[in-house]
Amino acid sequence: MFTGIIEAVGQVRHLEQREGGVRLVIGSGSLPLDDVKIGDSIAVDGCCLTVIAVAPDAFHVDVSDVTMSATAGFAHGAA
């Protein structure tokens, strides 16, 4: 079974409820975001999420209610 390659451990810094899902701000830990741009996909807990904004040490993603119900680990402060 392929388990993926973990490049860094981040943390959910902020979770904002939105219609149809949530917006997450995820601290990137030691993952450099120099080459990350809006529209890129980053796997988080095995779930590929599309970057909607990038900060120096964090990225923002929108996650649908369906994805939230099928994926663990997206709670505030989750590592």
Side-chain angles (χ1 to χ4, degrees), residues 28-64:
S28 59
S30 62
L31 181 70
L33 299 177
D34 301 353
D35 62 345
V36 174
K37 59 189 178 307
I38 293 171
D40 283 353
S41 181
I42 297 179
V44 177
D45 286 338
C47 180
C48 290
L49 301 176
T50 302
V51 175
I52 60 166
V54 183
D57 62 349
F59 58 95
H60 302 221
V61 294
D62 285 335
V63 185
S64 72

Side-chain angles (χ1 to χ4, degrees), residues 9-33:
V9 176
Q11 185 174 45
V12 175
R13 290 189 184 163
H14 183 74
L15 184 150
E16 175 188 337
Q17 287 293 142
R18 300 173 73 85
E19 186 171 337
V22 296
R23 177 159 294 169
L24 300 177
V25 177
I26 302 175
S28 59
S30 62
L31 181 70
L33 299 177

